[in-house]
Amino acid sequence: PPSRLLQARAKLATLLRERTGGDIALLAFADDAFTVAPLTDDGGNVALFLDALAPEVMPVDGHRPDRAIDAAVKLLAQAGHAQGDILLLTDGADGKAVAAAARAAAKGFRVSALGLGSTTGAAYRSGDGSIAQARLDAGELRRLAAAGRGTYREIAAGDGDLAALGVLLPDSVADTQAARHGASRVWRDEGYWLLLPLLLLGVFAFRRGAAFAVLAACVLLPLPPA
C-alpha cells in the first residue's frame, strides 16, 4: 500500500535526488519499452516525468523486461558509454529477460533488479477489464541480477535498498566520462621550430630589398605535416 506504482515513483524520486554524478535516463515498459527521459546529468529534469508514469500511458499491455533491458543498452551505447548500470523495477522476470541481462553484462552494462510488490500478491484490473494477480517473483529477479552481474533487493523504505544496489554513487564518474568521450587527445606544440627561419628573416629585414626576401622565404618554406 498505497500501490506499487506510487512506491515506484517515490523510489525513483529518491534515486534522482540522492544519486551523485553520472548521466541518468528513464525508460518505461510494458509489451515494449519507451524512453521517457533521455540520458542527462540533470536528475531534476528526469524527475519532472515521474508523475506522468501510469499504465494508461503505455500503448499495449504486457510485461517484457527483456525489451526494456535491450532498449537501455542501446540508449547507453548510442550515448558513447562503454559501461554503466541498468536498474530494473518490476515484480518478475523470465528466461528472455535473464538472457537480455546476460547480453548487457557481456557489453559492460551491469543489470540489477529492485523487486516491487509482495510474495503473497494482490489482485488488479488489467487493461481489458479482467482481474489478474500480481506477485513478486524474487527467485527469477535474483537469477536475472546474477546473469547481469548485478544485485537484487526488494523495495524498502528509505534509501538503503538503493545504496545496497550501488546505484547512488557511480563507480567512477571520471572513468565514465573517459569511456564516453574516448581516449583523450593532447596537443603537441612544435611551433618553436619556426623560430629559426624567423630569425633568418629578421636578419634580412635590416638589408635593402628586405620585403622581397621575406616574401620569397615565406613561399619557399615547406608546409608543416598535418
Side-chain angles (χ1 to χ4, degrees), residues 22-151:
D23 291 345
I24 191 166
L26 177 64
L27 288 83
F29 74 95
D31 188 67
D32 206 349
F34 302 89
T35 300
V36 178
L39 280 164
T40 177
D41 59 359
D42 188 351
N45 285 337
V46 181
L48 296 175
F49 296 93
L50 293 182
D51 289 342
L53 292 179
E56 293 77 19
V57 303
M58 305 305 291
V60 182
D61 284 345
H63 186 253
R64 294 295 302 271
D66 58 309
R67 291 178 175 173
I69 295 171
D70 289 339
V73 169
K74 184 178 180 180
L75 196 65
L76 288 163
Q78 286 178 341
H81 291 283
Q83 60 184 5
D85 282 287
I86 298 172
L87 178 59
L88 182 69
L89 278 74
T90 186
D91 60 357
D94 55 13
K96 293 179 180 179
V98 173
R103 290 194 301 270
K107 295 179 180 179
F109 304 110
R110 181 173 56 184
V111 182
S112 297
L114 185 62
L116 291 172
S118 63
T119 55
T120 56
Y124 72 96
R125 188 176 298 277
S126 63
D128 60 6
S130 61
I131 301 299
Q133 191 80 6
R135 182 176 288 107
L136 175 64
D137 189 347
E140 282 299 304
L141 290 178
R142 286 193 181 93
R143 192 161 72 97
L144 180 143
R149 302 174 188 172
T151 308

